[in-house]
């Protein structure tokens, strides 16, 4: 079993470069299935396990997928298969994003019903309602969702919640539909804008991405295009918190301030100095962090994907902080692990009350999802002694070379293969006290 071992106490300093965004590249790769002519070249791709998984899904659907460093070349010009089996969907829920493209291209899609996951139940009813509004017949049978249609028709679709995935799936279905589609109360995340830009470069007509209403005029055919993925705002935010918690001074290169305004505002409220530089965001951690309240919301609200990292920071802040999670109903599994590291955290329904500051103590902790993995490692950077983080498969879904990047900023961190490589708890305790 692999573990990350962090010894806390080092201030981070230097420059770290962010990768292309995981949450932008997955829908873009799914959208490349829409090109019945020409190859798509997708650049600045983070080579994460999720990206390989969606690559496998595309291959299974009869597209060719070639990885060359951080570029992916997709050729989807042959007729496509229509089924994404459970093995892929289980590994990565974003596999359901191929549904819109398959319906648009083949008039049929069969995708295993995704199960619940560590952050909540995550239904896909809004995706399906959107397809139905466009004329598709949808049925759920033997653990699969099957959707069929002769030809998708444009429709006016109001989303009860601005779901990121539903907005993306409906956009992909609508670009080849007959007539106009209007998606109201749609998601406004930067990843939606990135997808719209890619679709437009493939020949689609998509307007309004980034606002609450997207308008799409269906086109006859789409073509492969050359697209560069936007920088990962969540990876950037994660390094910003890592710099802040250690009282460090780090330039997060490639971070886009407009994508991170809610995170920047909260960090500033906590006494962290943020300087926007021409090529990124510099973060200077204070000697004393101040408590703050956070409510996660759809973009441009505070991102749920930064909630666990901020929890690590709030534990170290002076005063009482309250986090309220409004996007996922069960995204507090990491709170238990933080308690093992000596933090004062109480869960009350959808809120968490944190009394700080606590001096974090190193412990053996398990990641429950990818952001929790990063958050526990960040807590380890500040903790006394050694923190050992297990279940790194979660980390690898969303962070490339995370420990190496932290090492390059001066963190005392390593990734080890098995228990015999790790210093014993006794040794760690002695070293902590010395
Ligand atoms: C691959 C990717 O981009 N993942 C991101 C995406 O996930 P994802 O696209 O799955 O998230 P959604 O925005 O769809 O989900 C938000 C909320 O809407 C609910 N919902 C969603 C769809 C639906 O049909 N019915 C329904 O009830 C979900 O259960 C959840 O409570 O946006 C989330 C919210 O910013 C992020 O945390 C994820 O990192
Ligand atoms: C929850 C996340 O991703 P996914 O939707 O792929 O599970 C995330 O990126 O934090």
């Amino acid at each position: 079993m692999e573990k990350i071992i962090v010894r806390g106490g080092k201030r981070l300093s230097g420059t770290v470069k962010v990768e292309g965004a995981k949450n932008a590249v997955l829908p873009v790769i799914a959208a490349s299935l829409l090109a019945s002519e020409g190859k798509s070249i997708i650049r600045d791709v983070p080579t994460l396990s999720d990206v390989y998984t969606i690559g496998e899904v595309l291959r299974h659907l009869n597209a060719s997928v070639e990885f060359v460093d951080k570029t992916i070349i997709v050729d989807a010009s042959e007729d496509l298969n229509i089924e994404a089996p459970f093995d892929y969907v289980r590994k990565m829920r974003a596999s359901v994003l191929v549904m819109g493209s398959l319906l648009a291209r083949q008039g049929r899609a069969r995708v295993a019903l995704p199960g619940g996951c560590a952050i909540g139940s995550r239904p896909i009813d809004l995706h399906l309602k959107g397809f139905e509004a466009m004329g598709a017949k949808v049925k759920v049978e033997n653990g699969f969702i099957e959707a069929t249609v002769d030809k998708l028709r444009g429709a006016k679709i109001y989303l009860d919640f601005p779901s990121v995935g539903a907005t993306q799936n409906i956009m992909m279905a609508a670009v080849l539909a007959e007539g106009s589609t209007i998606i109201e109360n749609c998601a406004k995340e930067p990843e939606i804008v990135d997808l719209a830009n890619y679709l437009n470069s493939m020949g689609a007509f998509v307007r309004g991405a980034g606002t609450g209403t997207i308008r799409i005029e269906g086109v006859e055919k789409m073509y492969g295009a050359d697209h560069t993925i936007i920088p990962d705002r969540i990876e950037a935010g994660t390094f910003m918190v890592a710099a802040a918690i250690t009282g460090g001074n780090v330039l997060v290169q490639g971070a886009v301030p407009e994508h991170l305004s809610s995170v920047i505002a909260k960090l500033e409220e906590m006494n962290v100095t943020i300087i926007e530089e021409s090529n990124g965001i510099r973060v200077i951690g204070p000697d004393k962090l101040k408590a703050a309240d956070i409510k996660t919301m759809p973009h441009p609200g505070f991102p749920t994907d930064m909630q666990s990292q901020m929890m690590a920071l709030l534990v170290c802040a002076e005063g009482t902080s309250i986090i309220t999670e409004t996007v996922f109903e069960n995204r507090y599994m990491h709170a238990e692990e933080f308690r093992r590291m000596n933090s004062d955290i109480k869960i009350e329904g959808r809120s968490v009350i944190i009394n700080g500051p606590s001096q974090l103590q190193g412990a053996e902790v398990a990641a429950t999802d990818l952001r929790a993995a990063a958050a526990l490692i960040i807590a380890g950077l500040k903790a006394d002694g050694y923190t050992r983080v297990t279940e790194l498969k979660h980390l690898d879904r969303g962070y490339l070379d995370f420990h190496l990047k932290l090492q390059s900023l001066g963190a005392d961190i390593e990734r080890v293969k098995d228990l015999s490589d790790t210093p014993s708890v006794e040794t760690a305790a002695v070293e902590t006290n010395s």
Side-chain angles (χ1 to χ4, degrees), residues 6-10 245-246 316 340-342 358-363 376-388 432:
V6 198
R7 186 183 184 196
K10 292 275 168 69
I245 205 170
T246 65
C316 305
R340 295 166 55 72
M341 297 180 73
N342 189 42
S358 296
Q359 179 48 53
L360 288 164
Q361 290 170 7
L376 291 166
I377 294 167
I378 287 173
L381 293 171
K382 184 67 180 169
D384 281 340
Y386 287 89
T387 299
R388 299 176 174 80
T432 305

Side-chain angles (χ1 to χ4, degrees), residues 22-23 50 119 122 305 331 370-371 397:
K22 166 188 91 84
N23 288 349
D50 268 16
I119 63 176
R122 305 185 77 177
D305 293 351
R331 203 170 193 176
L370 75 168
R371 306 304 168 191
R397 286 192 50 219

Side-chain angles (χ1 to χ4, degrees), residues 22-24 26-27 50 93-94 97 119-128 161-166 168 187 189 191 233 297-298 303-305 326-329 331 350 371 397:
K22 166 188 91 84
N23 288 349
L26 299 176
D50 268 16
R93 294 178 41 85
L97 290 176
I119 63 176
S121 67
R122 305 185 77 177
I124 57 162
D125 54 314
L126 300 174
H127 306 227
L128 304 182
F161 184 89
S163 153
V164 173
Q168 293 165 336
E189 270 70 0
E191 293 75 21
R233 64 193 165 103
M297 303 274 274
T304 173
D305 293 351
T326 77
V327 179
F328 289 110
E329 86 271 7
R331 203 170 193 176
R350 286 212 151 194
R371 306 304 168 191
R397 286 192 50 219

Side-chain angles (χ1 to χ4, degrees), residues 7 23 81 102 109 114 147 152 173 225 229-231 272 280 295 384 394 401:
R7 186 183 184 196
N23 288 349
N81 298 328
L102 289 178
L152 287 167
I229 296 295
I230 54 170
V272 178
K295 191 176 199 176
D384 281 340
H394 296 297
D401 297 336

Side-chain angles (χ1 to χ4, degrees), residues 14-15 249-252 273-277 280-284:
T15 299
N249 181 339
V250 171
L251 175 66
V252 184
T273 303
I274 304 284
I275 304 165
E276 290 179 20
E277 299 191 1
I281 300 175
R282 180 170 298 282
V283 180
I284 304 171

